[in-house]
Amino acid sequence: MCGLLLLALALFGVRTAVAADDITLRPIKISPHVYYFQGTAGMASVANKGFMSNAGFVVTKDGVVVFDALATPVLGNAMLKAIKRITPLPVKRVIISHYHADHFYGLQAFKAQGAEVWAHENGRAALNSDLTQERLKQRRTDLAPWVNEKTQLIPADRWLDFKDGKVMPFEMGGMHFRIIDSSGAHSAEDIMLYVEEDKVLFAGDLFFTGRIPFVGEANSKVWLEALDRMLEMKPALVVPGHGKMSTQPMQDMQLTRDYLIFLRQKMGEAVADMVPFEEAYAKVDWARFAKYPAFEQANRLNAYGTYILMEKESLEKR
């Protein structure tokens, strides 16, 4: 019996390992040089294997530039395999939009292949924070085997300093890129990537299509200003952090804008009237947004974070 039990456990372990590697990603080509991977709607789960955010890549004559690395090392490896089906050129650079789990856990697969990682300098603090460590512990439980004890949190090789301006240009293989500093909006370390020749903007989590954004402790006032700056580049296509690629940025970003404005209005009114959060939350009619994916998981946290923000803004006015 013991021998049979050990054999069964060994076979289970093999099946689990195989399952954890059995992910095939299919890149979507959206312009002559740009592809992206579209995750499913909603929050990360075992059912979607953590694939609920977007990432993309740009093929140049000298190598590949990747934007974000998805939510697990397995997904990062699947990205590499998918890129190799498109081009034999190596991934030379990975640019991380921000250090939230669903956008950078795949980095260790790229580092193993020798790619250089770039991220906003504010990502240092985010990466080393207690919250990031707690999230890793939680995901090792909730997203096993996709996130496990071998999952590593990879720092940037180059922490980008934007003190001299909000845009950092670079060139690779005849392609021209602009990294846009949008820090302090969705997170302390937000950046976007614009591909000039193809007029494609990778917006990270500053732009969601078809689902409720995760706001949390974000500064929605700065976020709304960042959305306005997106349109200054007049991108033909925008790849959001979550949801389908947009061919109509002005129209598609309206959900994110409307939701942020609504949160600020309702929570701002509650703060002005000194209504406690729980009471204020219960009084709001959320029907306008309740039909969208991620509402149940994110809305209360978003509202609470906005309530705290509006309290802070109110105190600053005094």
Side-chain angles (χ1 to χ4, degrees):
M1 287 292 291
C2 290
L4 290 174
L5 179 59
L6 289 172
L7 177 60
L9 289 173
L11 289 173
F12 175 77
V14 170
R15 285 197 298 270
T16 301
V18 170
D21 290 328
D22 187 22
I23 294 179
T24 300
L25 297 180
R26 292 176 175 80
I28 302 168
K29 187 173 185 178
I30 60 175
S31 69
H33 305 92
V34 180
Y35 301 75
Y36 88 109
F37 304 97
Q38 183 184 334
T40 60
M43 308 297 277
S45 67
V46 172
N48 60 33
K49 303 175 184 178
F51 184 34
M52 37 64 73
S53 59
N54 297 342
F57 62 97
V58 185
V59 180
T60 80
K61 295 177 181 178
D62 294 339
V64 178
V65 177
V66 167
F67 188 81
D68 278 347
L70 297 180
T72 72
V74 177
L75 285 169
N77 192 52
M79 283 180 65
L80 279 166
K81 290 179 180 179
I83 292 170
K84 286 179 180 178
R85 293 196 299 270
I86 300 298
T87 175
L89 294 169
V91 174
K92 288 192 172 181
R93 187 167 298 157
V94 183
I95 297 172
I96 295 301
S97 64
H98 62 299
Y99 270 89
H100 285 182
D102 51 328
H103 295 270
F104 84 98
Y105 277 22
L107 270 181
Q108 69 186 74
F110 290 95
K111 280 303 299 175
Q113 298 294 316
E116 182 182 45
V117 179
W118 287 12
H120 195 290
E121 62 178 350
N122 292 347
R124 292 177 190 264
L127 183 62
N128 296 317
S129 69
D130 291 340
L131 180 61
T132 296
Q133 294 301 320
E134 290 169 5
R135 177 56 57 86
L136 176 60
K137 182 178 179 180
Q138 173 251 321
R139 295 227 162 170
R140 281 173 170 163
T141 300
D142 295 350
L143 275 183
W146 319 107
V147 176
N148 55 42
E149 293 303 317
K150 295 182 179 179
T151 301
Q152 304 170 23
L153 304 186
I154 304 297
D157 298 296
R158 180 180 175 186
W159 296 105
L160 304 178
D161 182 347
F162 289 89
K163 290 180 180 177
D164 295 331
K166 290 288 185 181
V167 176
M168 186 176 294
F170 73 92
E171 183 269 340
M172 181 186 290
M175 300 287 292
H176 297 83
F177 301 84
R178 279 184 268 167
I179 303 176
I180 300 103
D181 177 14
S182 299
S183 55
H186 171 73
S187 75
E189 67 275 7
D190 296 304
I191 54 178
M192 299 184 288
L193 178 68
Y194 185 60
V195 187
E196 293 187 9
E197 280 77 9
D198 291 27
K199 295 185 178 180
V200 174
L201 176 68
F202 287 100
D205 275 4
L206 291 168
F207 183 23
F208 290 62
T209 59
R211 60 154 279 186
I212 292 299
F214 176 73
V215 181
E217 298 178 355
N219 188 321
S220 52
K221 182 178 180 180
V222 177
W223 192 337
L224 287 165
E225 293 170 354
L227 288 175
D228 291 337
R229 287 200 303 274
M230 282 186 200
L231 299 177
E232 292 175 3
M233 290 169 285
K234 299 181 179 179
L237 305 169
V238 177
V239 178
H242 300 263
K244 187 178 179 180
M245 177 270 298
S246 172
T247 58
Q248 298 176 302
M250 176 66 83
Q251 179 178 323
D252 289 341
M253 74 168 52
Q254 200 60 45
L255 170 60
T256 301
R257 287 182 59 85
D258 288 350
Y259 180 66
L260 294 177
I261 291 170
F262 187 80
L263 285 175
R264 290 180 60 82
Q265 176 189 345
K266 295 302 179 182
M267 295 301 102
E269 290 172 353
V271 168
D273 294 338
M274 302 182 68
V275 179
F277 170 73
E278 292 295 338
E279 182 181 343
Y281 186 85
K283 287 182 177 179
V284 175
D285 181 1
W286 298 104
R288 180 180 174 189
F289 302 102
K291 63 182 179 180
Y292 289 102
F295 177 85
E296 291 296 329
Q297 299 95 327
N299 191 63
R300 178 177 286 274
L301 289 173
N302 291 346
Y304 182 71
T306 304
Y307 185 91
I308 298 300
L309 176 66
M310 301 312 292
E311 284 187 324
K312 181 179 178 181
E313 290 185 13
S314 176
L315 291 172
E316 289 173 350
K317 292 178 181 177
R318 295 179 183 177

